Amino acid sequence: QDEEILRTVFQDAADFIVAYPYAESWIRSLQAEGFRVFCLSNISDLIYSGCQSELGFLHLVDGKVLSWRERMIKPDPAIYRLLLDRYQLRAEECVFLDDSTVNVAAAILVGLHGIVFQNQQAAREIERIRRKAT
């Protein structure tokens, strides 16, 4: 009985995934400046499969770690380390964006710069981090 309800909820959850209209252009502009862009997501297999039209920007990223594939989930430090190891990234050179303060705090503990994503304010915060690094 509960399984049927949960399946219905998760199938309908795909309707709640909406890409920001600027996602693709932002990724392209960061890459044009020489940055690599990666995805680290807790999205489920069911939602990932059902939201391909909204997740079209993912074809642009330089790599991705999806929790359902890896059997790990944020904020487990192991998933951040997996991303760093898989793509040979140095934590101190990376900026992690997430709408969850818990996930951002975990990324910071692993050594990444972290920004709680609220909207396009993240672009300004990335620029602030870039200026501090130079």
Side-chain angles (χ1 to χ4, degrees), residues 9 11 16-17 31 52 57 59 71 75 81 86 100 129:
V9 168
Q11 285 174 339
F16 298 109
I17 303 294
Q31 290 170 326
Q52 288 303 299
F57 64 90
H59 76 279
R71 304 279 193 243
R81 290 189 193 104
R86 180 170 293 165
S100 163
I129 291 168

Side-chain angles (χ1 to χ4, degrees), residues 14 43-53 55 68-69:
I43 197 166
S44 73
D45 181 16
L46 185 63
I47 294 175
Y48 182 79
S49 300
C51 294
Q52 288 303 299
S53 62
L55 299 173
W68 61 270
R69 286 185 182 158

Side-chain angles (χ1 to χ4, degrees), residues 41-90:
S41 177
N42 279 352
I43 197 166
S44 73
D45 181 16
L46 185 63
I47 294 175
Y48 182 79
S49 300
C51 294
Q52 288 303 299
S53 62
E54 290 298 321
L55 299 173
F57 64 90
L58 287 180
H59 76 279
L60 297 173
V61 299
D62 297 292
K64 55 186 163 279
V65 170
L66 305 173
S67 61
W68 61 270
R69 286 185 182 158
E70 307 300 337
R71 304 279 193 243
M72 290 184 242
I73 193 165
K74 296 178 286 185
D76 181 348
I79 198 166
Y80 302 91
R81 290 189 193 104
L82 175 66
L83 177 75
L84 295 169
D85 293 344
R86 180 170 293 165
Y87 298 105
Q88 300 171 350
L89 304 171
R90 295 178 54 189

